[in-house]
Every structure is written in C-alpha cells, then in structure tokens.
Amino acid sequence: MRTYFIVFLGFTLVSVVLLRNLELPPITVQDEKLFNTVASLSAILFAFLSAAYPNYIARLFEPPKRENQFTPKIITVAVICLFLAYISIIGGSYLSYVTVLLPITDIQFEGNNQDILVAYTDNSFLWRRPLNGKITKAILNDLDGDNYPEVIAGLADPGDDTGYLVIYSTTGQAVDKINTWQETIYPEGEESYYAKVVDFQVGDLEGDGKKDIIILSNDIYWFASRILVYEFRDGKLIMKSVYWHPGYLYKTYLLDLNKDNTQELLVTGVNNDLKTIVPELGGNIRTVMMFEGDRIGGQAPPGFGINSNGEEYPLGTQSWYFIIQPKEVADSKVIIEDIDKNGIDDIHLGLSDSCSFYININGEIIQEAMGTVCKGNSSLDAIIFSNE
C-alpha cells in the first residue's frame, strides 16, 4: 500500500472515531435524506471517474519517479475522486451512528446544579445537553406519534431559564421551549418575575387523541402559582387554559376514575388567602382539589385575583376543593382504588399522620381509616366554591 493511500485511510479512520465520540449537533430526517443522496451520487461519480481515468488513479498511489510527473489535470481529477470518496465514507459513518433513530430508554441529570440532561438507549450514551436551569423533572413521551419519544424537562433556579419547560427530540434537537411565568393576578404582594416548574404530566385530558401537558408553576419569592394546560400541536406547545392558586402547588395526578376517556386532574398544594375569610385556619393551609380534564381554569378560593382591567378574575372550575386540618398535617400519598366496588375508582388520600380518607369522583368522603399513629383528629373540609 502506497504512502498516499495510507495517509488518506488513516485520516478517514481518525475522522470516523471523532465523529462517533464528539457531541455534534444531530441532523434531521430531511438532512439525512439529502446526505444520503449526496453520498450516493458521490460514490457513483467516484466509480465513473475511476473507470474513466484508471491510470491516473493508480499512478496517484505510486511514488513519483521523477519531479513534475503528474500534470495539474491529473492531480485535480485525483483530488476530486478522493474528496468524493471521503464524503461517501465519512458521511455514511456519521449517518449510521447519529441519524439511526435509536429510541431513548433512559434520561439522567448531571452537573453540580443538576442542569445537564443526558439521554441513553439500553445503557449506551446518545447525547448530552446543558440547560440553563436546575432540572426538576424530566420524562419520556411520544408527543408527535412517530413512535420515538421526546424528552420533556421542567426547570427551576438557579439559571436564567428557571420556570421554562423544554422539549427535545429523540436525536437531541430542541423542539420547543416555553416560559411558564405569567404576571400575577393577585393585587397583594410583590411581583417576582420568575417561576419554577414544580411538576408536570402528559395526558389526553379531553379524550380527543391529542397530547396535553399539564404544568404546575410556582412563582419564586412569592406565593402565586398556576396550573397551565398546553396542547402539543404541529411541533409546538399551544396554551389552552390557566388556573390560578394563592399558594404553592406541589403535585399533580392524572386519573380517569369513571373510565369515560376524559381524564380528571388531582392537585395538592397550600392556600395562603383562606385565612383572610377564616382567620382561625391560619396560613399555609394544605389543600387538595380535582378538575375535569376539559374544565380547568379560573382561580381558587377565596377568589381575590383581578384581571388586567381591574375586574374580578373568573372563579375556578374545580369539581371540588378540600382543606386538610389541622394545618400541621400534609398529604403523603394518593392511591386509586374502587373502595365501594361500584365500578368507578375512588381516591385514597393518605395523610402524614397515617390517617386516610376515601373520596369518590363527586367529592364525597365515603370512608375514613386510621393508621398506626392516627388519632382521628385529622379532617377534610370542603370549600363550597363554584363559578356556576
């Protein structure tokens, strides 16, 4: 094997290794088709030139017998052939590694601030993306129905993108990014201008076959929070509705208790404004509420929020709203089971003092249970509050 060929082969192999290990930007399916076309045409042209100029190609890899043996035309043809061959080999290697859509099977967080998103397939590294915020939650879900899951991540402080929800494709490309912060509707208190994504779920709230993303977003440095409902449509997140709450929200649960293909949304949190109408309750009252999936909007009790025109913000659409007493007791678990055996699932709400309440879809407490340290002092008190 001649010197020129050895140098070219070595350069090609090094390039392949680098392409396989460097974190290069992934290419789209459209790019893949274009690259395949170019690589195929290059290979055909290389074969044609090799057949048309066999002596030139052969002589290129032979040591020169005398100076100025090769004419500029011969060198030009040879360089073109080698370049086209290089495109075919390197392009093919790059595509075989990067654009073969391997399904993501696991995602992990890295970095001192938990701000690096890493994707794997069957324990093999796929890609890594640094984010400008701490990752509070990340999940896999096939939003666009192409049988390859997208990566959805919520962000909090520290970082300039705190409060953002970001979506990446299977190949690691940014799909969409939205800021969940909104100007508060509550007239009292200091505006924070920043939010953090606390929790989110992906489901089909209305049973229409379209993916919805339900996000809990809490303001930083103040109490205002919101439930945001987005629909993923044509590669973008489109806002559908928002529900405001005067206190932090903590956890979401997507249910379908009565199996009607319309999901219910269960949310837990605390309410800071109820103390103004029931002072003996104090602040930071633990709450649990439920919505029908196709009716999420308005504001929680006691309804002090106003819109940008200074008018009262619409009242909330929650199906029911409970406060947990005493305030030192918090929700600790939610289990779905058909406790009364009527074919409709119920909500088993476990509290931190080991007391439990069983609630049906209509917000009726159908059973109470006492655990090992439950003294029977806990209670769920319904807040009657409706926009109807």
Side-chain angles (χ1 to χ4, degrees):
M1 195 69 66
R2 303 305 184 186
T3 304
Y4 293 111
F5 181 74
I6 294 175
V7 171
F8 170 72
L9 181 60
F11 182 64
T12 300
L13 292 175
V14 170
S15 299
V16 170
V17 172
L18 289 176
L19 285 169
R20 286 178 176 270
N21 289 277
L22 292 178
E23 294 176 21
L24 297 175
I27 59 181
T28 64
V29 174
Q30 290 77 14
D31 294 331
E32 179 183 359
K33 292 179 180 177
L34 178 61
F35 210 141
N36 278 333
T37 301
V38 172
S40 299
L41 291 176
S42 300
I44 294 172
L45 187 55
F46 173 62
F48 172 78
L49 291 175
S50 298
Y53 302 96
N55 294 331
Y56 295 159
I57 300 302
R59 290 171 60 188
L60 179 64
F61 299 107
E62 295 178 355
K65 299 178 180 179
R66 61 180 185 275
E67 293 184 0
N68 301 323
Q69 178 183 356
F70 299 125
T71 65
K73 182 178 180 181
I74 297 176
I75 295 177
T76 301
V77 172
V79 169
I80 290 174
C81 292
L82 288 178
F83 178 71
L84 294 176
Y86 180 79
I87 290 178
S88 300
I89 296 173
I90 298 301
S93 175
Y94 183 39
L95 287 170
S96 67
Y97 183 72
V98 178
T99 64
V100 172
L101 295 181
L102 299 175
I104 300 174
T105 57
D106 186 33
I107 44 178
Q108 297 181 13
F109 314 151
E110 293 181 354
N112 294 333
N113 292 324
Q114 196 172 295
D115 56 359
I116 300 175
L117 190 64
V118 188
Y120 295 88
T121 180
D122 297 328
N123 298 320
S124 297
F125 170 81
L126 282 178
W127 49 261
R128 178 182 289 107
R129 295 292 175 267
L131 304 179
N132 198 1
K134 180 180 179 179
I135 303 169
T136 57
K137 181 178 181 179
I139 65 172
L140 298 172
N141 195 284
D142 181 12
L143 296 175
D144 54 11
D146 64 352
N147 296 321
Y148 293 98
E150 280 72 39
V151 179
I152 312 163
L155 304 180
D157 57 324
D160 291 341
D161 284 347
T162 177
Y164 278 79
L165 187 87
V166 296
I167 302 177
Y168 286 90
S169 69
T170 294
T171 57
Q173 284 189 309
V175 174
D176 202 3
K177 172 182 175 181
I178 54 109
N179 187 358
T180 65
W181 179 87
Q182 294 182 359
E183 186 176 355
T184 183
I185 66 170
Y186 298 108
E188 299 294 330
E190 180 182 352
E191 187 70 83
S192 71
Y193 302 105
Y194 297 99
K196 56 184 176 182
V197 175
V198 179
D199 191 22
F200 63 88
Q201 299 285 347
V202 178
D204 181 4
L205 289 175
E206 301 176 10
D208 57 2
K210 300 176 182 178
K211 290 292 183 75
D212 300 304
I213 301 181
I214 304 93
I215 310 167
L216 295 191
S217 172
N218 294 342
D219 275 8
I220 299 177
Y221 313 126
W222 198 243
F223 64 84
S225 60
R226 61 203 68 80
I227 303 172
L228 299 162
V229 180
Y230 283 83
E231 180 182 300
F232 189 77
R233 186 192 315 156
D234 299 326
K236 294 291 182 182
L237 290 172
I238 310 298
M239 177 176 281
K240 295 174 62 175
S241 62
V242 58
Y243 176 89
W244 283 90
H245 194 268
Y248 279 176
L249 297 172
Y250 295 129
K251 189 68 177 175
T252 59
Y253 302 88
L254 275 181
L255 320 169
D256 187 6
L257 300 178
N258 55 1
K259 308 297 189 296
D260 64 350
N261 293 323
T262 298
Q263 292 184 298
E264 293 83 37
L265 176 67
L266 188 75
V267 181
T268 62
V270 297
N271 190 310
N272 294 328
D273 279 0
L274 284 176
K275 64 184 179 183
T276 60
I277 58 174
V278 189
E280 60 269 25
L281 293 178
N284 300 324
I285 303 168
R286 292 279 180 168
T287 64
V288 57
M289 66 207 81
M290 197 188 80
F291 304 82
E292 287 293 330
D294 55 356
R295 298 181 68 246
I296 301 175
Q299 64 167 318
F304 292 159
I306 58 176
N307 61 25
S308 57
N309 297 323
E311 302 170 344
E312 181 178 315
Y313 198 83
L315 300 181
T317 59
Q318 62 277 340
S319 301
W320 44 261
Y321 191 103
F322 282 105
I323 61 174
I324 301 172
Q325 290 291 295
K327 61 179 296 183
E328 294 78 19
V329 177
D331 54 281
S332 63
K333 65 180 179 180
V334 170
I335 301 174
I336 305 304
E337 54 183 310
D338 183 5
I339 189 66
D340 52 7
K341 308 302 180 184
N342 66 349
I344 299 176
D345 286 336
D346 306 297
I347 298 168
H348 172 188
L349 178 67
L351 304 182
S352 57
D353 62 354
S354 78
C355 294
S356 293
F357 294 87
Y358 296 87
I359 314 166
N360 67 17
I361 191 172
N362 299 316
E364 300 167 337
I365 299 175
I366 56 178
Q367 186 174 319
E368 300 180 21
M370 298 178 63
T372 55
V373 296
C374 176
K375 299 179 180 179
N377 297 326
S378 300
S379 67
L380 289 182
D381 299 322
I383 300 296
I384 307 302
F385 183 78
S386 174
N387 63 345
E388 298 179 348

